[in-house]
DNA sequence: GCCAAGTATGAAACCGTTTACATCGGGAGC
DNA sequence: GCTCCCGATGTAAACGGTTTCATACTTGGC
């Protein structure tokens, strides 16, 4: 394939001139420029990206590392990152499905020299080493970090207050025996949501330790199994808070299979507000987080960090988690699930209806 | 940051030796190796990816270009690509949301030198130029190509036969006045599905030109509007084939808002089988395509192409589109939408129930 | 007619690796 | 004791660009 030298030779100029034409840097004689461009087209010359980033130390690429790519949530995060990156003329180098620190380290190493910054959702503490090493070279933005890292920006959802609001809502509806299906152990989001659940109970003068805690792993199947387990329990809880919507879906299926009616027999609340939540039967009351917005915000922080260089401070941002009341919790004022019914009431943290 | 030279100097060896240690290429004295490794760790040395790929002409990265990143379908494709790439130790360089040929060209140019191959779903014919130019340098695999390109592998869904099966099923249920909500003009998938729709009618001795064709664009809102338009029509079609599930969702919402019952008043069939399809009210009969599998297959083809070099032939693969009968079409044998009911009947192209 | 300023271009260093080839000891074979 | 071979390592040339600095040639002002 043609290199800059081939073009220079064919056009009878030096490679410096060709480079200048392509970066329209300094003034180049228009005649020379057009001749070079013409030759370049004829030779099908395209600058080599690796060579460019080697000299300029710029790649116009953002690294993105995610723990795993299943579930709608992560897709949305990627969408948000992608969209905002494009707006800033950046491409994204994606590497996901990392289950342990070792894999993260390898992926991080492979990215080095190819990225101007790294947006990362770390699955576990073992990844912190990678973060530290990468951070010495390019800015790092953490998503929902388990541990804040000195010198890294981060964006996180208000998991705690979102969960608390959801459970408080159930309590307000009269429920006194509320169970929770948790996320995988060690997952920050899961832990924060559990903490919010317990706080809500405590705030209402109930004993958090008395509540049924069913272990889950954020997958639909875990929700189903949890549902089966719950039904065998006596006394049976009157409401369940599933730590994410995926498990709520499985739970609803288990309840339907057992002939239980939601919310009459048992109330259900989820977390995430995935696209199908409004279309479930009954429409799912859940806590809405803007996954796409998380990615968007992460890119914004990254752009700031890249601008300001390694001296940039470590901003911490929180994104709201908003309770969306639909029908699965039995609220009298719930939306229909098919028609928009946004209410401006309840202190601004509760929405009703479809979106 | 430390370079290979720093390590070499500190360890009292040449850069060649350091390089050899890191690529455990040729025999290196174990003692020397461990000393180099130790120094490298102390200096926090990581090889620079850009420099490596400049000399080796390998990047361990696959370019991925998609027209736009909205909707579950594309997320699934990316998931499939990502998973399979990781299995082969490749990362992916993502660039999406390209709406025109110009943007595609720029993105392609930015990728050059950073990728070992390109997986691309081209939005329009204007992108063909980019494909051609990229193809001269690295292998290209096309997804659902509008036009096959000489020397490129491709993977596509059987849009045509999938749509035909869906409409034939409606006809088998007794429907004689069937409408279609189409995808955006110029979209291959949309066109193929329309073609399948017309063929099914023709096969049944009906006049394709007499059918109602409502223009859509694959978005939920278009489905809603199409629903409104359909309800105003007289005589009103007894069944509707929406060219994708997103529009079917909107259509169901419009019908519900008008108090129509599905499938009693009107039957609905979609295309894609997105995750929420089974949870809609009623569960949506649709044509299932394995978007994740599409990405997976594309990577497999790419690996073959990279192995065999530019001489590699141009394989064309078709992935099946399978009709999944649920309740929205009014079939007597439909699944419940919540319990798995896979039937092995009907020539193997029809499944029933949830998945 | 000379100097300063400005424009267009070239020469060469550099970015951080890999790798072909050269070099250098030392032990084996005879 | 002389080759020959081999293992360990160094030298230096790529890879394909960008960029600093130098140079040659025009102009314009006085």
């Amino acid at each position: 394939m043609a290199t800059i030298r081939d073009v220079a030779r064919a056009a009878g100029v030096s490679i410096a001139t060709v480079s200048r034409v392509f970066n329209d840097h300094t003034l180049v004689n228009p005649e020379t420029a057009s001749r070079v461009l013409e030759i370049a087209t004829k030779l099908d010359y395209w600058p080599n990206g690796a060579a460019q980033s080697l000299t300029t130390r710029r790649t116009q690429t953002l690294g993105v590392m995610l723990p795993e790519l299943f579930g709608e949530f992560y897709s949305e995060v990627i969408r948000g990152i992608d969209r905002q990156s494009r707006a800033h003329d950046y491409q994204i180098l994606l590497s996901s499905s990392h289950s342990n620190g070792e894999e993260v380290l390898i992926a991080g190493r492979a990215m080095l020299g190819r990225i101007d910054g790294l947006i990362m959702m770390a699955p576990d503490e073992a990844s912190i080493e990678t973060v530290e090493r990468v951070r010495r070279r390019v800015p790092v933005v953490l998503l929902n970090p388990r541990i804040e890292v000195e010198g890294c920006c981060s964006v996180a959802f208000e998991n705690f207050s979102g969960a608390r609001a959801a459970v408080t809502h159930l309590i307000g509806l009269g429920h006194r025996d509320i169970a929770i299906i948790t996320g995988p152990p060690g997952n920050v989001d899961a832990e924060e949501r559990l903490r919010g659940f317990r706080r809500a109970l405590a705030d209402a003068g109930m004993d958090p330790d008395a509540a049924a805690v069913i272990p889950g792993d954020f997958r639909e199947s875990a929700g189903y199994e949890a549902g089966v387990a719950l039904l065998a329990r006596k006394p049976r809880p009157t409401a369940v808070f599933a730590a994410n919507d995926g498990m709520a879906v499985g739970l609803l299926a288990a309840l339907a299979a057992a002939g239980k009616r939601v919310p009459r027999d048992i109330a259900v609340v989820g977390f995430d507000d995935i696209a199908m939540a409004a279309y479930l039967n009954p429409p799912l009351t859940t806590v809405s987080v803007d996954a796409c917005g998380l990615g968007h915000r992460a890119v914004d922080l990254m752009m700031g960090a890249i601008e300001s260089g390694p001296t940039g401070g470590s901003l911490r941002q929180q994104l709201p988690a908003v309770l969306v009341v639909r029908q699965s919790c039995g609220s009298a004022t719930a939306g229909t699930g098919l028609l928009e019914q946004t209410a401006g009431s309840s202190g601004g943290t509760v929405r009703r209806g479809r979106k």
Side-chain angles (χ1 to χ4, degrees), chain A:
Chain A
M1 211 64 286
T3 73
I4 197 171
R5 272 168 245 276
D6 299 323
V7 176
R9 195 175 313 127
V13 297
S14 73
I15 58 169
T17 301
V18 178
S19 175
R20 278 191 276 259
V21 169
F22 271 79
N23 300 299
D24 43 35
H25 228 30
T26 342
L27 292 311
V28 180
N29 187 323
E31 253 176 65
T32 317
S34 71
R35 182 158 40 97
V36 167
L37 244 20
E38 191 186 329
I39 301 271
T41 310
K42 193 189 299 174
L43 260 45
D44 192 26
Y45 167 71
W46 270 7
N48 179 300
Q52 283 181 313
S53 44
L54 183 57
T55 47
T56 60
R57 296 158 169 297
R58 270 314 204 92
T59 61
Q60 293 298 318
T61 302
L62 257 32
V64 175
M65 281 184 48
L66 297 178
E68 212 166 335
L69 214 48
F70 82 94
E72 201 181 309
F73 183 80
Y74 294 105
S75 304
E76 283 293 303
V77 174
I78 292 179
R79 194 224 302 290
I81 294 176
D82 182 80
R83 289 237 285 248
Q84 193 62 1
S85 299
R86 268 198 59 67
H88 290 279
D89 284 321
Y90 274 78
Q91 296 187 311
I92 78 181
L93 185 60
L94 187 66
S95 183
S96 52
S97 317
H98 301 290
S99 43
N100 60 59
E102 178 80 20
E103 284 181 13
V104 168
L105 194 66
I106 291 173
R109 185 169 147 171
M111 283 186 168
L112 230 67
R114 305 182 203 278
I115 56 174
D116 293 339
L118 177 64
I119 295 176
M120 176 167 180
M121 189 178 287
D124 52 24
E125 304 191 32
S127 313
I128 297 296
E129 186 197 336
T130 306
V131 173
E132 289 286 7
R133 298 192 75 168
V134 172
R135 198 181 67 72
R136 277 180 223 132
R137 294 152 170 102
V138 294
V140 173
V141 171
L142 263 24
L143 301 179
N144 271 18
R146 179 170 193 66
I147 307 162
E148 295 288 359
V149 176
E150 183 63 29
C152 294
C153 297
S154 69
V155 203
F157 285 121
E158 291 171 341
N159 279 306
F160 173 76
S161 60
R164 180 159 70 158
V167 178
T168 299
H169 182 75
L170 287 174
I171 295 172
L173 292 174
H175 294 282
R176 286 298 170 270
D177 187 359
I178 307 174
I180 181 174
I181 311 177
T182 66
N187 180 293
V188 213
D189 300 308
E191 285 172 6
E192 283 297 289
R193 291 171 195 179
L194 174 58
R195 210 163 62 79
F197 168 83
R198 294 172 59 91
R199 171 66 71 81
L201 296 184
D203 283 352
M206 297 158 60
D207 178 12
D209 294 325
V213 176
I214 321 270
D217 64 2
F218 279 166
R219 288 166 196 261
E220 193 178 320
S221 55
Y224 193 97
E225 286 155 25
V228 174
L230 271 169
L231 289 168
R233 223 181 159 94
K234 50 192 175 183
R236 201 172 63 221
T238 61
V240 185
F241 170 50
N244 80 335
D245 283 357
M247 296 195 297
V249 168
L251 172 63
L252 288 180
L255 297 179
K260 299 298 172 209
R261 307 205 47 177
V262 176
R264 215 189 51 190
D265 299 334
I266 199 163
V268 173
V269 176
F271 204 114
D272 279 351
D273 196 22
I274 62 179
M276 76 169 76
Y279 299 102
L280 292 170
N281 190 9
L284 183 68
T285 290
T286 185
V287 179
S288 176
V289 291
D290 181 9
C292 184
L294 183 76
H296 183 112
R297 188 61 62 92
V299 172
D300 285 344
L301 283 175
M302 179 57 78
M303 291 302 138
I306 290 179
E307 289 295 310
S308 63
T311 64
S314 37
L315 274 68
R316 306 278 144 81
Q317 295 211 343
Q318 291 256 328
L319 258 35
V322 181
L323 179 65
V324 179
V325 177
R326 296 201 184 92
Q327 294 169 29
S328 69
C329 62
S331 166
T333 57
T336 65
L338 281 178
L339 290 176
E340 202 83 10
Q341 276 199 13
T342 308
S345 60
S346 304
T349 58
V350 180
R351 283 186 303 169
R352 292 168 204 284
R354 180 158 150 222
K355 263 287 164 180

